[in-house]
Amino acid sequence: MLNIKQIQYFAACAKTGSFSQAAEILFTTQSNVSKVIRSMEDDMRTQLFVRHAKGIELTPEGERAYGHVQKILENMNELEMQQQPLAKSSLSVCFHPSSWFADTFVEYYETHKKDDLHYQVYAADTHEIVRRVKSRQDDMGFAYVMQNQLAAFQYFLLRNYLEFEPLTETEVNIYTGEKNSVSEVGEFKMSQLRLIQRFPDEFSSDNYRNLVGENGHSAVEAEMVVVTNSDYIVERLLGSGELCNISGADLSGRDPGYSRVKYTFPGEGQRLVYGCIRRRGETLSDQGKDFLEFVKGRF
């Protein structure tokens, strides 16, 4: 049975690659560090480090152990933070990169700036949102999935003790700058598209956003040239006329005035469903409830 001292000493050695440097970080002696690591290796019945004249390095077994140790220490840090009383009320949310959501959050902040709240707002892709809500890093997450993949997504969340509350639906469009040379509707191929999008692998089945055009070609065939969660960069590069963006019809915030809809993906099943991811069976805080109602009021 490993103890926390062994885990902390092991992490320090793996990070520094030296028993002596680890001893300095841990405010102890090199011989004590070596003794603790040896006891950990005995308990695990495996060699964690290769010792040589210039220091130490992890064995393959040590590399695998280090991955688990990092997760243990991260969870300990989060547990310690939970034990500390918060001076102020707080609200933590994560969301798919979206200028619409950014505008909504700014409106909420301006409405509640006298309420003495602290906020954490984090942009991420689908799986990162799920991970953050499940691990309690955020109170809730806002994501969009394809209508024809919604059942699979809800089943995935159910297995992770989460739930998805649909808030609105919207069609999916290809946006271009006014000078974009992409062929007219029905004539272009997905492989011809050069995209600027808000997160990598956006149209993979893993992100529940598999899009197919009228000719049967999938959006995964398009070339992802730029990935950025900066709306400013998206707007500037769209305006240059070379790149395209695939987004929901009413999730893009204010109309920048220079882009236009080139193509709308056909079929009811290819509409985007936008909604809130929460921990199943748990009640939101008062701040969380208020923010969710505010978001609902924007539709």
Side-chain angles (χ1 to χ4, degrees):
M1 194 72 179
L2 300 181
N3 57 56
I4 189 59
K5 181 177 181 180
Q6 290 172 323
I7 291 172
Q8 290 173 330
Y9 277 47
F10 172 75
C13 291
K15 184 176 181 180
T16 61
S18 165
F19 283 157
S20 59
Q21 291 183 37
E24 293 178 9
I25 294 174
L26 297 165
F27 299 100
T28 186
T29 64
Q30 179 177 341
S31 61
N32 189 37
V33 171
S34 180
K35 180 180 177 181
V36 171
I37 295 301
R38 178 64 67 186
S39 71
M40 184 175 178
E41 289 178 321
D42 290 342
D43 289 342
M44 295 182 65
R45 299 179 182 178
T46 189
Q47 185 178 358
L48 299 172
F49 292 99
V50 175
R51 283 83 167 166
H52 48 72
K54 295 183 179 180
I56 56 175
E57 60 179 307
L58 289 166
T59 64
E61 292 79 7
E63 291 279 4
R64 287 193 290 271
Y66 188 42
H68 294 301
V69 162
Q70 288 178 306
K71 293 177 183 178
I72 290 171
L73 295 176
E74 287 175 6
N75 290 335
M76 286 183 59
N77 289 335
E78 290 181 11
L79 184 60
E80 289 174 355
M81 289 177 64
Q82 279 190 339
Q83 293 174 338
Q84 299 173 2
L86 294 175
K88 301 177 184 293
S89 297
S90 63
L91 176 66
S92 297
V93 296
C94 51
F95 65 102
H96 274 151
S98 160
S99 56
W100 177 89
F101 186 90
D103 291 342
T104 298
F105 176 77
V106 169
E107 289 178 30
Y108 183 83
Y109 176 80
E110 291 295 333
T111 305
H112 293 78
K113 59 186 177 183
K114 295 182 180 180
D115 292 352
D116 208 20
L117 282 170
H118 282 176
Y119 301 93
Q120 175 178 281
V121 186
Y122 188 91
D125 66 9
T126 306
H127 278 278
E128 179 67 4
I129 290 173
V130 170
R131 187 195 69 78
R132 290 180 65 88
V133 176
K134 182 180 179 181
S135 65
R136 299 179 182 278
Q137 288 180 270
D138 294 308
D139 302 313
M140 69 190 88
F142 294 88
Y144 45 86
V145 298
M146 301 307 300
Q147 173 66 260
N148 56 15
Q149 295 175 282
L150 181 58
F153 183 61
Q154 289 176 321
Y155 177 70
F156 169 69
L157 293 182
L158 183 67
R159 289 168 48 205
N160 284 275
Y161 306 99
L162 302 171
E163 60 185 10
F164 181 76
E165 179 183 358
L167 301 178
T168 190
E169 289 186 19
T170 177
E171 60 190 15
V172 187
N173 299 321
I174 296 177
Y175 291 92
T176 70
E178 293 294 339
K179 300 178 181 179
N180 194 287
S181 60
V182 172
S183 301
E184 292 300 326
V185 173
E187 297 179 6
F188 72 88
K189 295 180 180 179
M190 290 292 181
S191 58
Q192 294 177 329
L193 296 180
R194 291 167 53 81
L195 300 178
I196 176 169
Q197 296 295 137
R198 290 180 169 89
F199 53 90
D201 301 321
E202 187 167 353
F203 306 109
S204 71
S205 56
D206 289 341
N207 279 313
Y208 300 92
R209 290 202 63 196
N210 191 18
L211 288 159
V212 179
E214 289 180 313
N215 53 14
H217 290 278
S218 170
V220 295
E221 300 173 24
E223 181 182 1
M224 194 82 74
V225 179
V226 179
V227 175
T228 177
N229 60 7
S230 167
D231 288 321
Y232 179 74
I233 292 177
V234 172
E235 292 170 359
R236 289 296 299 271
L237 287 181
L238 266 186
S240 71
E242 178 188 359
L243 302 180
C244 305
N245 173 258
I246 301 179
S247 300
D250 59 341
L251 298 181
S252 13
R254 302 185 189 93
D255 182 7
Y258 52 72
S259 65
R260 62 193 178 98
V261 175
K262 189 73 172 183
Y263 177 79
T264 298
F265 285 85
E268 185 67 24
Q270 294 204 108
R271 290 174 63 82
L272 279 176
V273 180
Y274 190 77
C276 177
I277 299 172
R278 299 162 49 182
R279 290 182 288 276
R280 181 160 48 92
E282 291 190 15
T283 303
L284 291 173
S285 66
D286 290 342
Q287 291 79 25
K289 291 178 183 177
D290 188 67
F291 181 73
L292 182 56
E293 288 303 313
F294 187 88
V295 171
K296 290 179 179 179
R298 304 273 74 74
F299 300 117

